[in-house]
Amino acid sequence: MSDLSARRHHAIDYVEITVTDLVQAKRFYADAFGWRFDDYGPEYAGIRDRQDEPAPEVGGLRLDREVRAGGPLVLLYSTDLDRSVDAVTRAGGRVVQGPYEFPGGRRFHFADPSGNELGVWAEA
């Protein structure tokens, strides 16, 4: 995900865009905005938004059968994922997925009281 030195607990850290054709989406975003990608298999590519090196990952393209309602998924960073789960539920949010492991860490998704879905991730 993004550069570790710039991470802050519960700050917006990453935006995940669901796509139905990963190859086409990579081509589109590369041609339109000059984005580069880190491939993590046939279903995911990390987004680097600058041409200069080293550019941190700022988001990802995630392959799915359909685009999720509500648009891109905003991910917050956490220094303590279990504490973040507790904070979300105590504040009136609802965990809708996870926590689960993924390459590079763990994360969970939650719905806020209005129904907006966001995610929170932490290093492994």
Side-chain angles (χ1 to χ4, degrees):
M1 305 232 165
S2 65
D3 181 16
L4 204 68
S5 63
R7 290 195 180 121
R8 293 175 305 137
H9 185 63
H10 290 169
I12 294 173
D13 187 67
Y14 202 79
V15 176
E16 192 169 83
I17 302 169
T18 304
V19 299
T20 57
D21 183 325
L22 189 58
V23 172
Q24 179 186 47
K26 286 171 43 180
R27 185 173 33 248
F28 168 79
Y29 286 108
D31 290 349
F33 305 114
W35 294 358
R36 294 178 304 124
F37 302 94
D38 294 323
D39 291 316
Y40 296 106
E43 298 180 356
Y44 202 89
I47 299 168
R48 294 187 186 275
D49 68 345
R50 298 190 321 255
Q51 296 297 327
D52 55 328
E53 291 292 333
E57 280 188 11
V58 296
L61 300 176
R62 184 178 60 81
L63 183 65
D64 206 335
R65 291 180 297 168
E66 58 187 46
V67 173
R68 72 186 269 315
L73 178 65
V74 173
L75 291 163
L76 310 177
Y77 177 75
S78 175
T79 57
D80 184 334
L81 197 69
D82 296 323
R83 194 173 85 207
S84 295
V85 169
D86 290 340
V88 163
T89 56
R90 278 194 319 271
R94 180 175 49 88
V95 173
V96 296
Q97 185 179 12
Y100 62 90
E101 293 185 18
F102 71 97
R106 294 175 57 225
R107 81 186 216 186
F108 73 97
H109 294 198
F110 69 92
D112 70 11
S114 295
N116 294 299
E117 184 177 334
L118 287 83
V120 182
W121 82 280
E123 302 279 349

